[in-house]
Amino acid sequence: MKLRATVRRGVRLGVTIGAWPAGIVGTLCLVAAFVFLTGGHDGTAGKLTIAGACAVLGSMAVGVTLGTATGLALALAPRGLLTRPPLRGLLAALTAGLPVAALSVAALTGDGYTLASYPPSIHFLTWSATLTIALVAAARSGDIAGCGAGCGADL
């Protein structure tokens, strides 16, 4: 198994993970900026455009970083773990999901706020996004690790 090929497949997953939120947030910011621009609020439109660009770049950077980390973890995992799909999926899910969960908690608990300061809708969005990223990484762990139908045979 080639380290570089596995990491490359992980990066491809990371681009996919980062592209979805980047596309959604970028589109929403551009539409809102256009609405404010047509309403004569040039300053707000400019700020929304900058915020959207930062969100897109940040989302892509986090996605590529998560994909790289997942590919690297699967490339360095022992063969016995890779031949067991539940364990391989758990490794990929933890590698991709734990940093997102930690980043979410860090972002929500700054400036004297606690997690209890936020309404349930914020918690639902935050934790469902984290769970989705972890589940996608787990589901794609076989592809990233280069395991086909018989993973033990082609390693």
Side-chain angles (χ1 to χ4, degrees):
M1 173 174 46
K2 304 262 187 203
L3 176 72
R4 188 175 297 175
T6 304
V7 172
R8 190 178 318 123
R9 288 188 295 266
V11 169
R12 275 194 305 231
L13 172 72
V15 168
T16 304
I17 287 173
W20 280 98
I24 292 169
V25 172
T27 302
L28 289 175
C29 284
L30 283 178
V31 167
F34 179 73
V35 168
F36 279 107
L37 188 63
T38 58
H41 302 286
D42 296 344
T44 305
K47 289 178 183 177
L48 275 171
T49 304
I50 292 170
C54 290
V56 167
L57 291 174
S59 176
M60 291 304 295
V62 168
V64 169
T65 303
L66 289 175
T68 303
T70 303
L72 191 60
L74 290 171
L76 298 176
R79 180 179 292 188
L81 187 129
L82 293 177
T83 58
R84 295 180 179 89
L87 294 178
R88 182 183 64 228
L90 182 63
L91 175 65
L94 289 175
T95 304
L98 283 179
V100 174
L103 186 63
S104 299
V105 169
L108 292 175
T109 57
D111 294 335
Y113 289 100
T114 64
L115 290 178
S117 304
Y118 295 95
S121 60
I122 296 296
H123 291 287
F124 176 76
L125 290 173
T126 300
W127 302 119
S128 63
T130 302
L131 183 61
T132 301
I133 289 169
L135 289 176
V136 166
R140 301 290 305 230
S141 65
D143 296 336
I144 296 169
C147 296
C151 184
D154 57 356
L155 286 179

